[in-house]
Amino acid sequence: MRGIAKSMMTTLSVFLRPPVTRDYPNVHKALPERDRAFPLLLWDQEIDEPFCTGCHACERACPVECMTVLMKDNPNHKSVGGTSSRRKIIDKFWIDYARCMRCNICVEVCNFDAIAMNNTWSGHEMSVHDRKDLVMDLQQLTTQSHSGQIKEWVPVLGKANEESAS
Amino acid sequence: MVTESAHEFETQDLLLNVGPQHPSTHGVFRMVMQVDGEVVRDIIPYIGYLHRGAEKLCETMDYRQGIGFMDRTEYLAAMNAELSYVMAVEKLAELEVPDRAQWIRMILVELNRLASHLMFMGAFGIDVGVFGTPFIYAWREREAIIDLFEEISGDRMMYAYLRPGGLAWDVPTNFVARCREVLTAVNQGIADFDGLLTKNEIFVARTQGIGYISAADAIDFGMSGPSIRASGVPLDVRREEPYLKYNEIKWDVITETDGDVYARYLCRLGEMRESVKIVEQCLEQLQPGAIMPEKMPRMLRTPPGEVYIRTEAPRGEFGVYMVSKGGNRPYRLKVRSACLSNLQALKHMSVGQYVADAIIVLGSIDIVLSEVDR
Ligand code: SF4
Ligand code: SF4
């Protein structure tokens, strides 16, 4: 009986502690800066076009082959009187979020820092009725960065972060 | 043990199908029990419902891409699974891992062991019949660990954080302080479990003397991890073949002698305390420095060769056998799963017990079906 009494004491002591649960979805916990939801394309606000040049590096490195990239000549390039120094630019871009395993490899291989992981709640609450709706096109992939909701994903591959050593 | 009652009449054994979709089988595991009344006479396990061909998939992927699949092989202890994999690649490619990366890896795998054992406590509690309470307690502390992992790696389960050579990126600035916070919470959680279950007469009556396996049998079945240490065999890969920095710190191998379900529970509880100690020592050793070797090629290629790496995952020895024929992907990858070997002993441990006890025995070896089936 003493053991059971001790168990009861334990549950009673827990009963007196503050609750640890949250009233989701009314209350969202703050996401850490490094949170990794799904990849998004970043928008070059200065020139007003995506950073992505359609170089296919991410497409080739993706383990589950969920990306499709098509490039085109940049109509805004300097040689044709535009303002951009990107000769080629992304034409069409699809990411199938239903297949993506959020491994971050596309972010690591991109040479233009054009792709980043979504670190907001909008990347997590994505339930749809039809999985076809999870295939994101270029417009859907860039709006969040275009409107300034996400900037870039924080950690950079392999760089030792000196001040983080404590 | 149930004594054989003298049958007055000729009776027929009943075949009872449990699973594959059954909450007490911890995943998609099916067993057909031959029962005589309430007593189990035979168990035929059926595995393979979760077979995804992860090993074969990894053979079509370069070394970095394979990490994500290792996470999914052992989703309750993804860091430990990743560790075996990246260590195998490192041995093939002869990479030298910087000290800081090793210490951080050690902290992460021990925290993951804590998370996994907490998960065991919760799920085992439910198997035994303590509905809800231990599960929610376990979830509370596991959540603290997983939140920490999310701050470090960005993901809550499929971390994809270790890389051949080191780590994908450095830990955040407040890492040490956050680890200490988490350890405080976990210590509280361990104390809660101790208070809730260890001495509880109902729990003890339900678990003591159930699912006994002797040391010799456990060795014969190739068991590993807490399941074999509970039978009195001090087998721990961290002690036998120290990897990372396990030989530089002080910790004990926890063994129990009874070899029953209760001993397996005690063994895991003791191991959680040890893990907390290990993490505390690692935090003291953590120095600034690089987290990746100086020269890392963009695409890692390995010379031909074959390696077998084993590490101590929460459920036992997690081994990765890797053959390379040169190039950027493994020629053959084989995962030695601790759960699969431990599961072999299920029949041995549960024949002659009640049906309800067979469920506890299954729970006590803490299987993860995705690791069994791969
Ligand atoms: S995160 Fe991984 S799986 Fe998802 S698109 Fe990028 S490379 Fe592919
Ligand atoms: S996101 Fe980066 S890697 Fe992918 S196509 Fe665009 S520029 Fe190339």
Side-chain angles (χ1 to χ4, degrees):
Chain A
M1 274 322 281
R2 296 210 10 240
I4 294 176
K6 196 170 171 216
S7 301
M8 287 299 184
M9 286 305 294
T10 311
T11 37
L12 189 67
S13 80
V14 175
F15 177 68
L16 297 174
R17 286 182 220 159
V20 289
T21 46
R22 256 176 243 108
D23 182 19
Y24 180 84
N26 298 328
V27 181
H28 287 67
K29 86 164 191 163
L31 287 178
E33 210 180 14
R34 296 180 173 192
D35 186 73
R36 243 163 56 204
F38 286 101
L40 285 176
L41 292 177
L42 295 179
W43 193 266
D44 188 347
Q45 303 286 2
E46 276 170 34
I47 314 184
D48 206 26
E49 65 183 18
F51 281 109
C52 175
T53 59
C55 70
H56 294 274
C58 53
E59 190 187 20
R60 276 198 300 267
C62 177
V64 291
E65 298 169 2
C66 66
M67 314 172 107
T68 312
V69 182
L70 294 174
M71 67 157 75
K72 66 176 180 197
D73 288 332
N74 192 352
N76 191 25
H77 187 246
K78 284 187 180 125
S79 61
V80 289
T83 49
S84 166
S85 55
R86 288 182 191 90
R87 193 173 295 278
K88 300 279 184 187
I89 196 146
I90 186 73
D91 181 21
K92 299 203 166 71
F93 203 120
W94 290 278
I95 301 181
D96 186 350
Y97 279 1
R99 288 183 73 176
C100 172
M101 64 183 211
R102 307 184 298 155
C103 63
N104 196 50
I105 287 177
C106 48
V107 182
E108 284 169 24
V109 295
C110 181
N111 291 319
F112 303 92
D113 293 342
I115 190 164
M117 296 308 249
N118 187 347
N119 55 6
T120 63
W121 270 101
S122 66
H124 288 285
E125 299 173 323
M126 308 203 59
S127 45
V128 289
H129 287 293
D130 185 350
R131 57 186 294 163
K132 279 203 293 266
D133 297 341
L134 285 173
V135 181
M136 298 288 157
D137 60 16
L138 183 61
Q139 208 259 329
Q140 285 166 307
L141 288 170
T142 45
T143 35
Q144 292 200 42
S145 173
H146 198 169
S147 60
Q149 283 167 30
I150 76 154
K151 287 180 185 63
E152 59 186 85
W153 199 64
V154 192
V156 186
L157 174 79
K159 267 192 202 149
N161 184 353
E162 249 71 60
E163 63 272 13
S164 82
S166 47
Chain B
M1 278 285 172
V2 183
T3 49
E4 194 112 4
S5 58
H7 292 301
E8 263 180 59
F9 306 103
E10 190 95 334
T11 53
Q12 208 179 5
D13 284 354
L14 180 80
L15 285 185
L16 179 68
N17 182 54
V18 181
Q21 307 284 358
H22 193 279
S24 68
T25 56
H26 295 240
V28 271
F29 173 64
R30 175 177 167 221
M31 50 186 176
V32 176
M33 293 188 202
Q34 191 184 339
V35 289
D36 175 9
E38 279 281 307
V39 183
V40 178
R41 292 274 172 245
D42 193 11
I43 288 188
I44 310 164
Y46 291 90
I47 58 168
Y49 289 95
L50 215 55
H51 179 66
R52 305 160 320 266
E55 295 169 354
K56 206 72 203 160
L57 264 174
C58 286
E59 289 162 22
T60 66
M61 315 234 158
D62 68 41
Y63 290 118
R64 178 167 55 180
Q65 291 174 336
I67 296 170
F69 288 90
M70 283 298 123
D71 284 336
R72 283 148 183 86
T73 301
E74 219 320 13
Y75 52 78
L76 288 182
M79 287 288 183
N80 301 62
E82 278 176 35
L83 180 71
S84 285
Y85 178 83
V86 295
M87 275 172 57
V89 180
E90 280 153 12
K91 197 165 171 197
L92 269 176
E94 288 161 10
L95 287 173
E96 198 63 48
V97 184
D99 273 359
R100 179 174 168 82
Q102 298 214 20
W103 286 115
I104 293 176
R105 277 182 182 187
M106 214 160 128
I107 295 171
L108 295 180
V109 295
E110 288 306 324
L111 283 174
N112 214 163
R113 186 186 317 278
L114 284 168
S116 172
H117 281 352
L118 281 167
M119 172 76 207
F120 162 81
M121 297 288 164
F124 185 60
I126 287 192
D127 286 339
V128 179
V130 200
F131 275 107
T133 316
F135 196 72
I136 297 299
Y137 286 9
W139 230 242
R140 192 182 54 202
E141 266 73 52
R142 187 172 173 268
E143 181 72 17
I145 297 176
I146 285 179
D147 275 347
L148 176 64
F149 281 168
E150 191 184 15
E151 282 162 35
I152 297 167
S153 74
D155 212 310
R156 297 174 64 82
M157 258 177 117
M158 310 301 172
Y159 312 114
Y161 180 58
L162 308 187
R163 292 283 185 276
L167 308 170
W169 46 82
D170 210 336
V171 290
T173 357
N174 58 354
F175 176 65
V176 176
R178 283 286 288 123
C179 274
R180 296 231 155 91
E181 261 172 48
V182 168
L183 287 185
T184 319
V186 170
N187 271 331
Q188 176 69 53
I190 298 173
D192 281 352
F193 272 109
D194 210 7
L196 188 69
L197 297 179
T198 309
K199 289 268 159 51
N200 189 325
E201 281 89 355
I202 304 173
F203 180 77
V204 175
R206 194 83 176 77
T207 52
Q208 219 159 29
I210 307 280
Y212 172 75
I213 187 162
S214 69
D217 285 338
I219 294 172
D220 286 351
F221 277 110
M223 292 171 81
S224 51
S227 307
I228 197 171
R229 289 195 284 276
S231 294
V233 185
L235 172 77
D236 192 318
V237 183
R238 292 173 289 176
R239 189 43 58 81
E240 308 281 315
E241 271 178 29
Y243 51 98
L244 294 179
K245 303 274 185 190
Y246 280 108
N247 48 358
E248 290 181 26
I249 52 168
K250 286 199 187 66
W251 59 282
D252 298 320
V253 178
I254 302 289
T255 52
E256 293 288 331
T257 47
D258 290 350
D260 57 2
V261 170
Y262 187 60
R264 272 168 238 143
Y265 159 79
L266 284 184
C267 202
R268 289 201 171 83
L269 197 66
E271 247 172 57
M272 285 167 67
R273 295 205 178 94
E274 285 305 310
S275 287
V276 171
K277 263 194 240 163
I278 295 176
V279 176
E280 271 165 2
Q281 293 177 54
C282 291
L283 286 176
E284 256 139 52
Q285 299 285 345
L286 203 59
Q287 297 294 334
I291 51 153
M292 279 294 238
E294 290 276 298
K295 287 202 192 75
M296 276 297 285
R298 276 191 79 89
M299 175 65 80
L300 186 67
R301 284 165 209 282
T302 56
E306 58 181 290
V307 292
Y308 178 69
I309 285 287
R310 51 188 198 145
T311 62
E312 183 73 23
R315 284 162 198 80
E317 175 185 334
F318 190 93
V320 169
Y321 171 67
M322 198 183 267
V323 183
S324 159
K325 293 210 165 178
N328 63 359
R329 57 191 61 178
Y331 174 74
R332 174 81 174 99
L333 181 81
K334 166 85 177 79
V335 173
R336 188 266 182 211
S337 142
C339 294
L340 181 63
S341 311
N342 292 352
L343 195 56
Q344 306 308 318
L346 176 68
K347 180 179 164 187
H348 180 88
M349 290 191 283
S350 15
V351 166
Q353 320 251 334
Y354 289 122
V355 174
D357 291 345
I359 299 294
I360 302 183
V361 173
L362 179 68
S364 77
I365 51 179
D366 193 18
I367 46 169
V368 166
L369 261 300
S370 78
E371 192 194 332
V372 174
D373 299 342
R374 302 191 287 283

